Amino acid sequence: MKYLLAFTLVLIFFSCKRDENNLPNSSKLENHFIEAYNLELNRDDRIKHVDSAYSIVNNKNERDSLQLKNIFKVANRYFTLLEYDNYFKVSKEALSLSKALKDTLQIAKAEYYIGDYYFYNFKNDSAYYYYLRAKDKYEKKTDKYNLAITTLHIARVLLFEKDFLGSEIETINALKIAQEINDNEIIHQCYDNLGRVLEGQKNYEKSIEYYFKSLEELKKSDKNINTGLLEVQAYNNIGHVYLNAKSYNRALNIYNKALEVKETKELHPGLYASVLSLYAYTNFKLKKDAINDFNEALKIRDSINDVAGKINSRIHLTEYYLEKKDTLNAKKLNQEAYQLAKESNYNKEVLTTLDFFTKIEPKKGLQYAQEYIKLSDSLQEQERNTRNKLARIEFETDQIIIEKEAITNKLSTIVLVFLVLFSIGSLLYIVLYLRSRQKQLVFAHQQQQANEKIYQMMIEQQVKIDEARNSEKKRIARELHDGVMNKLASTRLNLFVLNKRTDEETIQKCLPHINEIQNIEKEVRSIAHELTAESYTNNNFKNILVDFLEKQKPLTESNLVYNIDENIPWETIETKIKMNLYRILQEALFNTNKYAEAKNISIEFIKNENSLLVNISDDGKGFDTSKKKKGIGIKNMQERADDINAEFKLKSGPNKGTQISLVLNKIY
């Protein structure tokens, strides 16, 4: 029973859906994964491909879900190739990464893998522990497929320890879930395990019934490379029941069907050797020739180092040679079986070899019988202890879960209290922030109003200046018209007589009028001095800009040049925009004078269709915009630009000067 269960675990592993979703090809890695399943290669070459894949995966620095999938792929292939130590190592890496990623389902999967390792190595207490941990996580995540598989594995552990009732209960639980999700493969495995439970209870009729049910479910499942192996294993189980029931002809018929599946020897030599050995044993019981099949099975098992198989083949041959009265070979093979069983802790098989020793060496029968009784009692005690240990593991696991839930609830309460306090604190902060923000908005509004008032005052002042200029221009015009023009006209008329008369008397009369021209010249010069060279326009904001820039020239050591496009219709631009432009210009020149140490400063106001471009640049020492934190001045310029929907750009670099540009679109 123990030996057959070991085979079943391997086959179930092959047939289970192990979440290997096809990933995008990653050249060498994917090729190694594919070649590891290439049955045309020998086992050593396939192992080399898995080793290479493992090396590639290990060399990747990423610790993400893709890396985790690849680690599970490596583990699967090691298990398929019976490399259990490597499988265990990689499964532990998968568990570590799953915990780092805090992925509950992947943690459960890794624990399930580790449980498989311990189960195959007959460390049932450890297997049981990891299966229970995985089961708990699958239950909480309502992953019914994996919950069914894990529950079934728990049932197999209990079966291994001859807790038939416990195994039956867990198997039925797994069967209900499998039927709920309509998974024929798991249903097949559940029926198979129920057959084993009933076989262990010596209810051979019912056992056969469930084994045949498992075969029927297997036929409903999707066909894959392992379907034939599972079918062979089912026949092997049925044949074993018939052997126990001493129905040798039926057993022989079943083993013949199993041996008809030709690929078994290539795909799973251990299973093939098991079937062949039992087939030979059945023939032996029917008094038919069996020695060649016994020897072939032993040879295969020795070649693949199948310890359990090596023991069973030697036990069968011991019985065969005892029947043939060949005590020499019987003793040799039984001694080998006894030694292997002792070394590998196959205690049931040790009992069998001791029983044979009493027949091979009757004189030492009492000695062997005493050892048999002592070991048998020890095994019964061990089985009881193991069942108790499994019960304790389950109880302690439940206690850990209860304690963990209590801690979780406590943490939840703490987190809830923290969240409430945090919410209250956040609410207070928001209220205070909103009040502060409201004050800022009120202040900004007041500042805006103040700016508009200042600008209005500047405009009014400029208007008064313009009015004074216009008044002075009118006065000068009147002076020119009423004074100079009249005098010129009078002088012209008085001198006109010279065109007709040029006598001395007439000339003498005209001389005073000629002198009057000099007086008119003086009067014109006087008026000219009263005028300025400045060309006055009705463009008040331009005058404000020019006045501001001219006043800046004496205040800076830099050469300041500016250009204000004559075509800019300042009178159509909103007051708010002009005010902010003025402030940005003011702030930019302040920063340049204070920090830049520039030789030249250039300022441009350019009209471009319906857009206004403003460029302010210098050739100063500049600064690294990526490292230096924005000061209040730059932030103010940015905010003012945003306020008038202008595109603000600042470019600078060490020893590369500074360039500020503003673009206002569609403002005319």
Side-chain angles (χ1 to χ4, degrees):
M1 176 68 73
K2 185 175 182 181
Y3 180 62
L4 293 176
L5 271 174
F7 274 123
T8 303
L9 175 63
V10 177
L11 293 177
I12 288 170
F13 186 96
F14 293 162
S15 62
C16 283
K17 307 178 186 82
R18 311 277 296 190
D19 295 336
E20 283 198 11
N21 298 324
N22 288 329
L23 301 170
N25 284 341
S26 54
S27 60
K28 289 184 178 179
L29 177 61
E30 199 63 29
N31 180 62
H32 288 311
F33 282 144
I34 293 168
E35 290 301 310
Y37 282 153
N38 185 356
L39 298 178
E40 294 180 1
L41 301 177
N42 61 48
R43 181 173 177 274
D44 289 340
D45 288 339
R46 291 164 67 192
I47 290 172
K48 286 179 182 177
H49 279 292
V50 185
D51 290 339
S52 298
Y54 184 37
S55 177
I56 293 171
V57 171
N58 262 348
N59 287 333
K60 291 187 176 181
N61 294 323
E62 299 87 352
R63 287 180 61 80
D64 52 18
S65 57
L66 179 60
Q67 174 80 340
L68 183 58
K69 283 184 179 180
N70 284 330
I71 291 173
F72 276 122
K73 275 188 164 187
V74 172
N76 289 341
R77 283 154 180 79
Y78 274 135
F79 196 98
T80 304
L81 294 166
L82 312 180
E83 288 290 302
Y84 301 119
D85 289 338
N86 285 330
Y87 166 77
F88 181 55
K89 176 185 174 184
V90 177
S91 295
K92 286 197 294 184
E93 288 181 17
L95 179 59
S96 176
L97 181 53
S98 299
K99 287 179 177 178
L101 296 174
K102 297 180 180 178
D103 189 330
T104 303
L105 285 177
Q106 297 304 316
I107 292 171
K109 181 178 177 180
E111 289 173 339
Y112 170 80
Y113 274 36
I114 294 171
D116 279 351
Y117 167 79
Y118 283 123
F119 185 49
Y120 189 77
N121 285 277
F122 309 112
K123 297 179 181 179
N124 291 330
D125 52 349
S126 296
Y128 192 69
Y129 170 76
Y130 279 99
Y131 286 148
L132 281 176
R133 289 177 66 89
K135 179 185 176 184
D136 175 59
K137 293 176 178 66
Y138 286 136
E139 277 181 330
K140 288 180 178 177
K141 290 292 183 179
T142 61
D143 184 341
K144 292 185 177 180
Y145 171 80
N146 283 305
L147 177 59
I149 286 292
T150 309
T151 303
L152 182 59
H153 276 60
I154 290 170
R156 294 187 187 281
V157 173
L158 294 172
L159 174 61
F160 226 118
E161 298 303 329
K162 297 185 179 178
D163 182 358
F164 299 120
L165 179 60
S167 180
E168 185 175 2
I169 291 169
E170 292 294 341
T171 305
I172 290 170
N173 289 336
L175 180 60
K176 287 177 180 177
I177 300 169
Q179 289 173 336
E180 183 182 342
I181 62 176
N182 195 29
D183 192 305
N184 300 113
E185 198 170 282
I186 304 176
I187 294 171
H188 149 71
Q189 294 173 33
C190 290
Y191 284 147
D192 177 85
N193 203 60
L194 285 173
R196 296 177 189 279
V197 169
L198 292 163
E199 184 182 354
Q201 294 172 330
K202 299 190 181 341
N203 189 345
Y204 299 132
E205 186 178 344
K206 274 289 183 183
S207 175
I208 292 292
E209 180 184 333
Y210 276 104
Y211 280 140
F212 275 111
K213 278 188 175 183
S214 75
L215 265 176
E216 288 300 315
E217 290 299 326
L218 186 61
K219 292 175 182 177
K220 296 177 185 176
S221 303
D222 295 333
K223 303 294 182 185
N224 57 56
I225 192 171
N226 299 306
T227 302
L229 295 178
L230 290 169
E231 185 178 346
V232 171
Q233 182 59 57
Y235 284 133
N236 204 24
N237 294 338
I238 295 167
H240 192 262
V241 176
Y242 283 137
L243 269 179
N244 286 333
K246 301 188 187 317
S247 298
Y248 299 124
N249 286 314
R250 288 184 175 181
L252 188 65
N253 182 47
I254 291 295
Y255 286 128
N256 276 320
K257 287 184 178 180
L259 291 171
E260 287 174 2
V261 182
K262 300 299 182 185
E263 66 268 21
T264 309
K265 186 175 182 179
E266 181 182 5
L267 293 176
H268 203 300
L271 176 59
Y272 172 78
S274 174
V275 174
L276 185 63
S277 180
L278 290 171
Y279 170 75
Y281 187 74
T282 306
N283 278 319
F284 162 64
K285 287 295 184 180
L286 291 170
K287 309 297 182 183
K288 295 181 180 180
D289 182 39
I291 190 61
N292 290 333
D293 292 330
F294 272 138
N295 286 330
E296 184 184 351
L298 178 61
K299 184 179 178 181
I300 293 170
R301 285 166 159 175
D302 282 344
S303 69
I304 62 174
N305 196 29
D306 178 2
V307 177
K310 287 159 70 174
I311 296 168
N312 277 280
S313 280
R314 282 167 171 80
I315 288 174
H316 285 164
L317 281 165
T318 297
E319 186 176 351
Y320 172 83
Y321 284 119
L322 270 175
E323 180 73 19
K324 300 296 182 181
K325 309 299 182 182
D326 186 349
T327 54
L328 187 62
N329 276 322
K331 182 179 178 180
K332 176 179 175 294
L333 289 163
N334 198 57
Q335 184 64 43
E336 291 175 1
Y338 172 79
Q339 196 63 39
L340 283 168
K342 286 279 284 185
E343 290 171 357
S344 307
N345 294 319
Y346 281 73
N347 294 316
K348 183 181 176 183
E349 285 71 19
V350 172
L351 288 175
T352 305
T353 58
L354 287 172
D355 185 45
F356 280 134
F357 273 133
T358 61
K359 298 173 183 177
I360 296 168
E361 298 180 286
K363 292 180 180 180
K364 294 183 180 180
L366 182 59
Q367 176 187 335
Y368 290 127
Q370 287 174 343
E371 186 178 350
Y372 181 95
I373 293 167
K374 183 180 177 181
L375 180 58
S376 179
D377 291 342
S378 173
L379 286 177
Q380 290 178 13
E381 182 65 25
Q382 184 180 338
E383 287 176 1
R384 283 195 297 271
N385 290 337
T386 303
R387 285 196 289 271
N388 291 336
K389 188 175 182 180
L390 295 181
R392 283 199 306 276
I393 290 171
E394 184 171 9
F395 172 75
E396 289 168 2
T397 304
D398 291 341
Q399 285 297 109
I400 291 169
I401 292 168
I402 291 168
E403 289 172 6
K404 187 177 178 182
E405 288 176 351
I407 293 170
T408 303
N409 291 334
K410 188 175 180 179
L411 287 173
S412 298
T413 303
I414 293 170
V415 170
L416 181 62
V417 171
F418 172 77
L419 288 175
V420 170
L421 292 175
F422 178 77
S423 300
I424 293 170
S426 299
L427 186 61
L428 288 173
Y429 173 78
I430 291 169
V431 170
L432 293 174
Y433 173 78
L434 289 175
R435 286 183 179 177
S436 173
R437 184 64 181 162
Q438 186 179 16
K439 288 180 181 179
Q440 289 178 1
L441 291 172
V442 170
F443 176 75
H445 180 67
Q446 291 173 345
Q447 188 180 43
Q448 181 68 26
Q449 288 180 330
N451 287 339
E452 290 180 0
K453 285 182 180 179
I454 292 169
Y455 180 73
Q456 191 60 41
M457 290 171 65
M458 291 170 64
I459 293 295
E460 289 173 359
Q461 183 67 26
Q462 189 65 37
V463 168
K464 288 179 182 179
I465 292 170
D466 288 346
E467 286 177 352
R469 285 175 177 171
N470 288 334
S471 176
E472 185 65 14
K473 285 166 67 178
K474 288 178 182 179
R475 184 188 68 77
I476 292 170
R478 284 196 301 272
E479 289 292 326
L480 287 172
H481 183 272
D482 296 342
V484 175
M485 291 298 295
N486 288 338
K487 288 179 181 180
L488 282 173
S490 174
T491 301
R492 180 176 61 80
L493 290 172
N494 287 319
L495 293 176
F496 185 73
V497 70
L498 291 174
N499 291 329
K500 296 180 179 181
R501 297 167 57 184
T502 58
D503 57 88
E504 184 65 26
E505 181 182 357
T506 303
I507 290 170
Q508 288 296 323
K509 286 182 179 180
C510 288
L511 283 174
H513 295 292
I514 293 170
N515 291 332
E516 183 63 19
I517 292 173
Q518 291 179 337
N519 293 330
I520 293 169
E521 181 184 348
K522 290 178 181 179
E523 188 172 350
V524 170
R525 188 179 292 112
S526 175
I527 293 170
H529 280 303
E530 293 178 4
L531 294 171
T532 65
E534 180 183 0
S535 177
Y536 295 103
T537 70
N538 291 326
N539 200 340
N540 294 330
F541 186 70
K542 179 183 177 184
N543 295 335
I544 291 171
L545 292 175
V546 171
D547 184 60
F548 169 72
L549 294 170
E550 288 296 329
K551 287 179 180 178
Q552 287 293 311
K553 288 183 177 181
L555 301 177
T556 178
E557 296 180 0
S558 308
N559 176 34
L560 191 153
V561 295
Y562 60 87
N563 174 38
I564 302 174
D565 196 330
E566 295 287 344
N567 297 318
I568 300 173
W570 294 107
E571 67 279 1
T572 65
I573 298 174
E574 294 180 19
T575 300
K576 176 182 176 181
I577 294 174
K578 290 186 282 190
M579 188 67 228
N580 280 292
L581 286 176
Y582 183 85
R583 292 299 188 200
I584 291 170
L585 177 63
Q586 195 177 40
E587 182 65 39
L589 286 176
F590 174 79
N591 289 340
T592 302
N593 291 336
K594 187 174 181 180
Y595 304 112
E597 300 178 6
K599 292 182 180 179
N600 299 289
I601 302 172
S602 173
I603 298 166
E604 293 181 309
F605 287 81
I606 303 169
K607 182 180 183 294
N608 182 17
E609 296 182 354
N610 62 345
S611 299
L612 173 62
L613 311 180
V614 181
N615 296 314
I616 305 167
S617 60
D618 65 66
D619 58 0
K621 61 184 182 181
F623 60 93
D624 190 338
T625 56
S626 65
K627 293 182 179 179
K628 188 171 181 180
K629 188 177 180 181
K630 288 185 179 179
I632 294 174
I634 295 175
K635 287 182 180 177
N636 285 343
M637 286 191 283
Q638 178 70 65
E639 289 174 0
R640 288 186 181 278
D642 293 341
D643 196 34
I644 57 176
N645 296 321
E647 182 182 341
F648 179 86
K649 291 182 180 179
L650 186 147
K651 290 176 61 179
S652 186
N655 301 316
K656 292 184 179 180
T658 302
Q659 297 84 42
I660 295 173
S661 65
L662 283 163
V663 180
L664 291 96
N665 295 312
K666 300 180 181 179
I667 62 168
Y668 308 127

